[in-house]
Amino acid sequence: MDTFKIKPRVLLVGNPNAGKTMLFNRLTGLKAHVANYPGITVDLREGNLNLPSKNQVCVVDLPGTYSLYSRSEDETVTVKGVLGQLGPSSISDLIVAVVDATQLKRNLYLVSQLLDLKKPLLLALTMMDEVQRQGIEIKTLLLSQRLSVPVVSLSSVTGVGIDALLVEIDQWVKLQTAQVEPSRSTHSQTLHKPSATDITKRYQQIEVWLQGVLKNTIKTPKKKRFCADDILLHLFWGPIFLILVFAVMFESLFLGATPFMNGIENGISYFSNIVRSFFPDDSLIGSLITDGIISGVGSVIVFIPLIAILFLFIGVLEDSGYLARATFLLDRFMSKVGLSGRAFVPLLSGFACAVPAIMATRVIESKKDRFVTILVTPLMSCSARLPIYGLLIAAVFASAPPLWGFIEIGALVMLSMYGIGIIAAFGVAALLKRFVLKGPTPSLILELPPYRMPRWSSLAQNIWTRIWLFLREAGTVILAMTIILWGLFTFPRNETQQTTKNQSEIQAQIKNSYAGQLGQLIEPVVAPLGFDWKISVGILSSFAAREVFVSTLGVMYGLGHSQDETKMTLKEAIQNDINPQTGKPVYTPLVALSLMIFYSLAMQCMSTLAATKKETKSWRWPAFQFSYMTVLAWLCSFALFQAGSALGF
Amino acid sequence: MQIPPQAISNQINILIMSIKTKMRPFRHPKEQRLSDFPCGKEGILRTLPAPTSPEVLRLLEMGMVDGSLIKLLRRGPFGGPLHVAVCGTQLCLRQKEAALFFVQWID
């Protein structure tokens, strides 16, 4: 029965940043992450494609490579895929060589290697819209005759030419059903290390292929026009612009998100008060729902606007092509510490989340350099730290007048938290490179992609995906943690004086709860950093996920207010928390800073440790990562708090 | 002061390569290392007869083949990497790799 046959596969192979993933998204209707930077896809991705003839094929998006002689892990995946070593061997593959038509010559090098494999091959020239804008005409028919493979020109952005590609794929599928034995001969020649003469010969061959294929329709020679790189990569203006970009990013992160956050915060406390009114004052269920779930999960949801703005900026940087320029500008620092130039993107994606960032290190060729990058990536402030920074800054620093009238102190504090993470990452990398994972300074070989306008639809899609992930985490891990924490804060219950509880009795009740006892047990360890037992509970709970710190405080202060007064927001609760011994606020600017530094440096993320374990294939490295980061965080907070206290802050 | 062995072997490599280039019969008088080439100038790329380093091989595969036209667009700040236009694309590479390529001036 033919209906149960395994679907034929279509492999998308091509140079990095040739637009394979965008074509993949076009063909399958999936929404994989794309960016204008080489090496975003590091693993293969599969999706289904329905052809016009009702046949279905499996489309595989492979990581980009310049050559079939692989050097890094992501390229090895591609080479294996091309040779048919991935998946069951009975599947027949069609290789679709995705060729960036604006860089035909360089892209054809890989094609010439693919041709040697003698496998079914199809050329897809992408970015034809850009080629036409440049006034260049490509004679696809001539190229097709010379290479004796079908050539389709298309544009994944506009969708022109996709139908022609589908027809070609369809024809191949029909041929497959007629053919009994799929040809899977492996030509091993290209997999050896190529010699310089081999490479030169291939390029000479490409010159022959391309003769008369490219035709410039603009007759007059182009004058040297204004080039954005002249300013953006300028020795002096380049770094200034880079600083400006990040300054604007943090300022808008701070100013732009605040009104939305206040809105959500008020909405949640309004909602909480309504829910509260349905339950009698002493009902445990009512307390679980309002003080536990709504305060706990709600306090985290408040930070969605911050996350959205962060990903908007990261998205614009990626899609515009500026990211590669930033790599160029900052490479000197990277090479000074001995980091590979290719470590820049993993480190930068560390601002979003360390888990995909650690996976992105697969583009780094040398294993030692890759491990160094994996070990320091979690020091970059990820988006899970944003709620903690956001909460503490809003509670402690928001009332401070802006510096020079326009620089918000809060934005400055946030910027310095990110700065501390970056400095720590570079410092640790330098030490690791010097003493643990010694090796030569790696190279940087990076293609600078052309500037492109960010596509707002895919940007919105990406932001929405991130918000959705965040919400899902809030609905699962954080929800579960808040229920556990609510239980730990509520029991053992003081049953004797149920009817009239005043503020101090409630405080005593919380302090005597299981969570309170646990916090007081840990307190001596973190007291030198300026943290009390309440913060200790928060720190303990955030080993599940960092955001849980915020929900812990939410639950704690949610339970901590007496029933007759109106509910305070978490921010107000923090501002009003008074140390009973000294009579001063618990959250002084110094304590807040010490706490934020602790959070920026400490390893409190199980998923990151799991990712490190997966990528290094050993328990040693995640254990090392966990210990060094926690020790570093403790020492830095200790130094700051003790120095600050001695100076009288 | 201790010199790391890597630096010594690098220096030896560069020395051997420069000797090899000197032995080449058609060496143009106006041939310079890519790393020393002036900014904004265009030239013809000359590779060494037998490149061994994997970085050079990678660059060759990316289109920096012997005889192709290359333009050094700019250098990065603080002694950073080089920005070149070659083979229809723009690449950036560190000084160390650029020192392994030669550029012949066009008169």
Side-chain angles (χ1 to χ4, degrees):
Chain A
M1 289 291 282
D2 261 358
T3 39
F4 294 109
K5 224 179 69 176
I6 310 165
K7 276 174 280 187
R9 288 192 306 188
V10 171
L11 307 175
L12 301 181
V13 186
N15 282 181
N17 213 30
K20 293 173 295 299
T21 304
M22 208 198 257
L23 180 61
F24 174 81
N25 287 349
R26 255 288 168 192
L27 291 175
T28 60
L30 294 174
K31 295 189 167 73
H33 183 56
V34 286
N36 187 14
Y37 192 96
I40 291 294
T41 309
V42 289
D43 209 347
L44 59 97
R45 205 180 279 122
E46 294 184 14
N48 286 323
L49 165 64
N50 291 310
L51 292 167
S53 65
K54 304 280 183 293
N55 280 322
Q56 214 184 35
V57 289
C58 177
V59 183
V60 184
D61 180 25
L62 293 166
T65 181
Y66 291 109
S67 149
L68 287 185
Y69 168 58
S70 67
R71 284 123 170 136
S72 54
E73 253 179 68
D74 58 325
E75 291 172 0
T76 309
V77 171
T78 306
V79 173
K80 274 187 179 167
V82 167
L83 295 180
Q85 289 163 355
L86 296 173
S89 56
S90 57
I91 311 175
S92 45
D93 295 331
L94 168 69
I95 298 172
V96 173
V98 181
V99 169
D100 177 354
T102 59
Q103 301 176 343
L104 210 48
K105 192 171 157 193
R106 216 266 326 279
N107 278 250
L108 283 180
Y109 178 77
L110 180 68
V111 173
S112 84
Q113 287 186 326
L114 289 170
L115 280 169
D116 285 356
L117 295 175
K118 307 260 188 296
K119 285 191 158 203
L121 184 68
L122 170 64
L123 238 64
L125 303 183
T126 58
M127 311 206 192
M128 285 307 286
D129 51 331
E130 280 188 37
V131 173
Q132 275 156 12
R133 230 174 296 138
Q134 286 172 9
I136 294 167
E137 195 190 312
I138 297 175
K139 289 180 178 153
T140 44
L141 208 65
L142 189 62
L143 189 65
S144 168
Q145 282 165 359
R146 289 206 179 135
L147 300 177
S148 52
V149 290
V151 178
V152 182
S153 59
L154 56 91
S155 162
S156 310
V157 179
T158 59
V160 173
I162 296 286
D163 290 337
L165 179 66
L166 291 182
V167 168
E168 287 292 344
I169 295 174
D170 222 357
Q171 272 180 4
W172 170 75
V173 172
K174 279 173 195 151
L175 214 70
Q176 286 304 300
T177 40
Q179 215 173 48
V180 186
E181 189 68 36
S183 59
R184 292 183 73 87
S185 66
T186 305
H187 204 274
S188 60
Q189 191 203 330
T190 46
L191 300 184
H192 292 305
K193 191 173 168 180
S195 69
T197 42
D198 182 39
I199 297 167
T200 315
K201 260 186 208 149
R202 279 187 195 278
Y203 270 102
Q204 280 162 357
Q205 177 68 55
I206 291 165
E207 290 285 352
V208 174
W209 284 339
L210 284 181
Q211 241 157 48
V213 167
L214 292 170
K215 197 175 141 201
N216 206 337
T217 49
I218 298 174
K219 286 284 179 281
T220 48
K222 258 193 302 186
K223 275 195 189 128
K224 184 170 164 46
R225 60 191 180 89
F226 166 75
C227 179
D229 277 340
D230 288 342
I231 289 178
L232 299 185
L233 294 183
H234 189 268
L235 280 179
F236 178 73
W237 295 114
I240 299 254
F241 186 79
L242 187 71
I243 292 168
L244 213 67
V245 165
F246 282 96
V248 166
M249 175 169 156
F250 282 100
E251 187 88 2
S252 61
L253 206 58
F254 196 71
L255 287 180
T258 312
F260 295 104
M261 280 162 63
N262 287 340
I264 298 176
E265 206 168 33
N266 292 335
I268 287 170
S269 74
Y270 181 70
F271 177 65
S272 170
N273 282 334
I274 290 178
V275 174
R276 180 99 237 180
S277 64
F278 287 121
F279 294 96
D281 272 359
D282 287 329
S283 104
L284 265 183
I285 305 280
S287 168
L288 171 64
I289 292 176
T290 55
D291 302 331
I293 295 173
I294 296 179
S295 331
V297 177
S299 55
V300 172
I301 287 181
V302 167
F303 293 97
I304 283 178
L306 267 185
I307 309 262
I309 294 183
L310 178 76
F311 283 103
L312 176 70
F313 268 94
I314 293 181
V316 169
L317 287 183
E318 278 180 348
D319 286 357
S320 61
Y322 186 66
L323 208 55
R325 270 75 188 180
T327 315
F328 177 80
L329 290 172
L330 295 172
D331 181 65
R332 188 66 196 139
F333 301 110
M334 310 267 294
S335 67
K336 262 271 183 333
V337 264
L339 274 168
S340 157
R342 290 189 151 205
F344 184 80
V345 167
L347 288 177
L348 200 102
S349 16
F351 284 143
C353 176
V355 176
I358 284 173
M359 276 162 59
T361 59
R362 289 180 196 168
V363 298
I364 298 169
E365 286 118 357
S366 142
K367 198 176 167 187
K368 280 182 177 176
D369 296 328
R370 189 172 163 226
F371 280 18
V372 171
T373 315
I374 289 176
L375 288 171
V376 302
T377 296
L379 286 169
M380 310 301 279
S381 280
C382 66
S383 59
R385 278 137 163 151
L386 258 184
I388 294 142
Y389 298 160
L391 176 70
L392 291 171
I393 288 171
V396 181
F397 296 101
S399 53
L403 192 65
W404 302 323
F406 64 95
I407 302 174
E408 294 283 335
I409 296 292
L412 207 63
V413 171
M414 196 167 314
L415 183 66
S416 42
M417 283 309 128
Y418 278 82
I420 285 164
I422 295 167
I423 292 167
F426 276 56
V428 172
L431 288 176
L432 285 175
K433 191 79 189 160
R434 187 96 175 74
F435 298 111
V436 186
L437 294 154
K438 285 175 234 167
T441 303
S443 62
L444 164 80
I445 296 168
L446 180 73
E447 193 189 333
L448 292 182
Y451 287 106
R452 293 196 174 104
M453 201 57 195
R455 286 170 317 114
W456 304 110
S457 59
S458 87
L459 213 57
Q461 177 64 44
N462 190 26
I463 293 171
W464 172 243
T465 313
R466 289 299 179 160
I467 291 177
W468 176 242
L469 280 176
F470 188 78
L471 279 174
R472 207 176 59 186
E473 171 132 329
T476 51
V477 178
I478 293 172
L479 179 67
M481 280 302 290
T482 35
I483 294 172
I484 293 168
L485 282 164
W486 174 85
L488 289 175
F489 274 121
T490 311
F491 301 103
R493 220 161 138 82
N494 209 346
E495 295 293 338
T496 48
Q497 320 145 326
Q498 261 191 7
T499 42
T500 51
K501 274 188 181 172
N502 61 31
Q503 193 61 36
S504 62
E505 278 166 358
I506 292 170
Q507 288 297 334
Q509 145 95 49
I510 289 176
K511 200 166 177 177
N512 288 328
S513 67
Y514 293 121
Q517 288 172 25
L518 205 63
Q520 288 167 65
L521 194 73
I522 310 293
E523 198 180 0
V525 183
V526 291
L529 317 183
F531 307 158
D532 67 353
W533 63 270
K534 294 176 192 169
I535 299 175
S536 315
V537 181
I539 290 175
L540 273 187
S541 65
S542 27
F543 279 94
R546 288 186 179 93
E547 305 96 307
V548 178
F549 176 80
V550 174
S551 38
T552 309
L553 293 188
V555 174
M556 186 160 41
Y557 290 113
L559 284 167
H561 72 91
S562 28
Q563 259 95 43
D564 46 318
E565 57 184 308
T566 51
K567 205 159 162 55
M568 284 189 288
T569 62
L570 181 54
K571 192 172 80 189
E572 291 158 355
I574 283 180
Q575 283 162 346
N576 294 329
D577 196 6
I578 305 288
N579 187 335
Q581 271 120 47
T582 57
K584 282 180 187 154
V586 172
Y587 293 89
T588 62
L590 184 62
V591 171
L593 276 181
S594 165
L595 189 56
M596 279 191 275
I597 286 183
F598 186 84
Y599 267 87
S600 78
L601 300 177
M603 166 50 90
Q604 297 163 304
C605 181
M606 292 299 148
S607 339
T608 305
L609 289 173
T612 306
K613 153 127 211 305
K614 196 178 153 220
E615 297 296 320
T616 58
K617 296 182 184 70
S618 132
W619 276 112
R620 244 177 60 212
W621 293 113
F624 172 70
Q625 191 176 39
F626 177 79
S627 3
Y628 98 77
M629 284 180 68
T630 310
V631 169
L632 183 70
W634 194 90
L635 288 176
C636 288
S637 287
F638 177 78
L640 178 90
F641 185 71
Q642 294 304 328
S645 308
L647 292 171
F649 283 107
Chain B
M1 209 187 99
Q2 197 195 345
I3 303 162
Q6 190 59 42
I8 298 172
S9 68
N10 266 348
Q11 286 303 313
I12 293 171
N13 266 339
I14 291 170
L15 196 72
I16 292 170
M17 280 170 194
S18 59
I19 292 167
K20 275 183 185 166
T21 7
K22 279 198 182 104
M23 291 191 302
R24 278 167 59 179
F26 49 83
R27 189 170 178 264
H28 194 273
K30 278 191 150 184
E31 206 172 80
Q32 246 179 326
R33 270 178 218 283
L34 177 56
S35 49
D36 304 328
F37 201 66
C39 277
K41 278 258 181 262
E42 223 170 354
I44 295 164
L45 196 68
R46 290 284 169 226
T47 53
L48 296 166
T52 43
S53 110
E55 285 84 27
V56 174
L57 221 51
R58 164 52 50 97
L59 286 165
L60 282 175
E61 291 195 310
M62 286 172 83
M64 284 183 60
V65 284
D66 196 276
S68 49
L69 216 58
I70 189 167
K71 188 175 182 186
L72 179 59
L73 295 171
R74 58 180 62 78
R75 287 160 207 277
F78 326 108
L82 276 71
H83 181 192
V84 299
V86 65
C87 191
T89 66
Q90 299 191 359
L91 300 177
C92 72
L93 61 156
R94 286 181 177 166
Q95 303 268 4
K96 202 181 83 183
E97 278 78 49
L100 304 175
F101 285 90
F102 286 81
V103 184
Q104 188 181 312
W105 285 66
I106 306 172
D107 303 312

